[in-house]
Amino acid sequence: MRTIRPAWLGATAVVLAVAGWIATELTARASMALPVLPLSSLITMGLIVVVCLFLGFKVRRWRDGKRDRHLDPLLAARTVVLAQACAYAGAVLFGWHAGILFDQLPTISLRAELGVIWHIGIMMAGGLVMVVTGFVVERFCKLPPEDMEPPVKPRDKREGHGEEEFA
């Protein structure tokens, strides 16, 4: 299984930032509300982060030597997949809201209240927390390299140490 690629996360965030900017332009032309997630979605994001961290600490504890219980390999694999999904979902949320913020920056001085800007910033921060959590939990699940001695090379029979040749 491949590890999280920061370049792919960045590309995801950039693509979604462009999509968020375009969506904001289109909704503004149609006199609709900004396409921002409600603050209640932070609860869902928080639950995902907590579950991901819980499972990650469980795998990390086993990896660090506290093996009083058997660790199901499928649980460890699912934890890695959850960590990667958490990171990519965070990049999507961060990018989307960054595009909306980029569109709204010229109008900040015209706004009487900055509640929407704070709302967007909080959602971007939640996305960053998800990305960081994904990276950290993925590192928890990585096994350290084993200190193995190089394999002993078998001797060739032609070397003839102590062997007799028959004519």
Side-chain angles (χ1 to χ4, degrees), residues 2 5 14 35 37 48 52 58 67-68 97 100 106 108 112 119 123 130 135 137-138 140 156:
R2 295 182 135 172
R5 309 258 179 180
V14 168
L37 284 176
I48 292 169
C52 192
K58 193 173 184 177
R67 298 182 178 161
D68 52 342
H97 289 93
I100 295 170
I108 287 178
H119 184 131
M123 295 307 294
M130 289 182 76
F135 269 113
V137 171
E138 185 185 47
F140 285 173
D156 193 16

Side-chain angles (χ1 to χ4, degrees), residues 16-32:
L16 266 295
V18 171
W21 178 75
I22 291 170
T24 304
E25 286 291 321
L26 293 175
T27 57
R29 289 181 186 170
S31 299
M32 296 171 66

Side-chain angles (χ1 to χ4, degrees), residues 19 24 38 54 81 106 129 140 148-149:
T24 304
F54 175 76
V81 171
V129 167
F140 285 173
M148 296 177 62
E149 294 180 20

Side-chain angles (χ1 to χ4, degrees), residues 11 18 35 37 42 50 53 58 62 65-66 70 75 102 135-136:
V18 171
L37 284 176
L42 287 173
V50 167
L53 281 172
K58 193 173 184 177
W62 185 87
K66 296 184 181 175
H70 175 71
L75 174 72
F102 182 74
F135 269 113
V136 169

Side-chain angles (χ1 to χ4, degrees), residues 10-86:
T12 301
V14 168
V15 167
L16 266 295
V18 171
W21 178 75
I22 291 170
T24 304
E25 286 291 321
L26 293 175
T27 57
R29 289 181 186 170
S31 299
M32 296 171 66
L34 287 175
V36 179
L37 284 176
L39 286 177
S40 61
S41 62
L42 287 173
I43 296 169
T44 305
M45 293 165 63
L47 286 174
I48 292 169
V49 166
V50 167
V51 168
C52 192
L53 281 172
F54 175 76
L55 293 173
F57 278 122
K58 193 173 184 177
V59 172
R60 180 178 168 214
R61 189 172 41 247
W62 185 87
R63 182 197 71 182
D64 290 344
K66 296 184 181 175
R67 298 182 178 161
D68 52 342
R69 291 186 190 176
H70 175 71
L71 178 69
D72 184 16
L74 193 57
L75 174 72
R78 287 178 178 165
T79 302
V80 173
V81 171
L82 176 63
Q84 291 178 351
C86 184

Side-chain angles (χ1 to χ4, degrees), residues 8-9 26 35 53 55 62 70-71 85 87 92 106 110 117-118 126 134 161:
W8 281 101
L9 287 176
L26 293 175
L53 281 172
L55 293 173
W62 185 87
H70 175 71
L71 178 69
V92 166
L110 303 174
I117 302 302
W118 281 106
H161 293 286

